[in-house]
Amino acid sequence: MKIIELRSDTFTLPTPGMRDAMFSAPLGDDVFGEDPSVLALESKLANMFHKEAALFCPSGTMSNQMAISATVSKGQEVICDELSHIYLYEGGGIMANAGASVKLLKGDLGRLTKSQIEAAISPDDIHACESAMVSLENTVNKGGGSVYSSESLDEISNFCKKKEIPLHLDGARIFNAMAVTGQIPSQFGAWFDSISICLSKGLGAPVGSVLVGNEAFIKKAKRIRKRLGGGWRQAGMLAAAGIFALDHQVERLQEDHQRAKAISEICSTLPWVESTLPVVTNIVIVKIREGLNSTIKVAELAQKGIKCSPFGTEYIRFVTHLGFGDEDLSRFEKAIKS
C-alpha cells in the first residue's frame, strides 16, 4: 500500500533539480560570514522583502524566537492570537528565551483586527505588563490556512507604527498567502518590522527559515542565534535548496490550494464529518461528528494508507504539498470513501 502523506507540507522531498543545485552549491563557513550560498539566499530574501538584512536559520521556531528575544525584554509582553504558533507550538519559548509574557486575543480563525490590538495595549502604568511586540501569523495554521487582507494589514501596521510597537510576522506559509491574495513581498516588508519566512513547507526545501529586518535587528538576532546553538558552518547546500525553491516552486503553490479544496469537498460528503473550515490555501481542517475521537479516526485512516494529523479531540488536519499530486488525490478519494 502506497502511503498518502497529508500530515504536513514539511514531508516534501527535494526535487531532482533541487538536489542538483544543492550538490553544486559553492560553500564556506557561515559562522565567519563566508558561505557564498548562504549570503546569496539572505541577500535574495532581504531584497525581495525590501529589508536591510536577513539571517538564515535552522527552523521557523528558531527564527520566531530570535525575533522575539531581539525585540522584547524580560517582564514585557507579546500580543498575539490564541491560535498562534509562537504560543502553542514553540515549547514555551517566549517565556523560556525572552522572559516575556503573552497576551492572547481571540481573533477570526486566528486573524486579529486593529481594534482588538488597540484595546489590548497595556496602559502606561507600572502595575501593567508593558506591551512590546505584536505578532501575527499568515497563513494561520490553526485557522485552517486563513489569510490577512491588505486592508487589515494596512490598519494594523499603521497603528503599530503610530504606537511605536514592533510588528512581527510568523510567515511560515507567507508565499501560500500571497498566492491567494496577489500581495507581493515588498508590501510585507513595509507592513512588518521583522518577518520569519519558512523554506521547508510549501516551497519544498529540506531545512531552514530566514529572518528579515533592519541591520541592527539582524545583528542582534545573529548573536541570539549563536547562543541558541544555531550557528551554521558549510550551510550553503541547504541555502541552495532555498534559492532553488524561491526560483522554481512558488507559482505551483496554486496547485496545492486546488487539491486542498478538492479534499474538503470530498470530506464534506463523508458520514463521520460534521463540517470543514473554509479552505483558502493548502490546509484542510475537518470537524468530526460528536461522539467520535480524532485520534482514533486518524488511526483508522492510517490503516487505509492515509496519514493525517489529529487537531485536538474534534478536528483532523490534512495538508497538501508538492509530493501530493492528482493521482494521489484520486487514491485519497477512493481510500477515504471505502
Side-chain angles (χ1 to χ4, degrees), residues 44-151:
K44 185 181 185 69
L45 279 167
N47 291 334
M48 187 182 294
F49 283 84
H50 286 202
K51 289 299 187 184
E52 293 177 352
L55 187 61
F56 187 34
C57 310
S59 71
T61 292
M62 181 178 283
S63 57
N64 279 330
Q65 291 302 314
M66 285 162 39
I68 295 167
S69 293
T71 306
V72 182
S73 300
K74 287 184 177 181
Q76 295 179 324
E77 71 181 7
V78 178
I79 296 173
C80 63
D81 188 87
E82 64 183 3
L83 300 182
S84 294
H85 191 280
I86 62 167
Y87 171 69
L88 291 175
Y89 298 121
E90 298 190 5
I94 297 173
M95 178 277 295
N97 298 318
S101 183
V102 185
K103 183 176 286 181
L104 299 177
L105 307 181
K106 187 177 183 64
D108 173 32
L109 296 176
R111 297 166 297 188
L112 301 179
T113 65
K114 176 257 185 183
S115 59
Q116 282 183 298
I117 294 168
E118 184 174 13
I121 300 296
S122 295
D124 185 11
D125 185 326
I126 62 170
H127 302 89
C129 187
E130 182 183 6
S131 302
M133 173 187 270
V134 174
S135 178
L136 307 182
E137 187 177 329
N138 195 26
T139 68
V140 185
N141 175 29
K142 287 280 283 186
S146 59
V147 302
Y148 278 88
S149 69
S150 295
E151 293 74 18

Side-chain angles (χ1 to χ4, degrees), residues 38 41-42 54-58 199 207-210 225 232 235 238-239:
V38 171
L41 172 64
E42 292 172 343
L55 187 61
F56 187 34
C57 310
L199 303 169
V207 175
S209 289
V210 176
R225 185 186 72 169
W232 304 89
L238 298 173

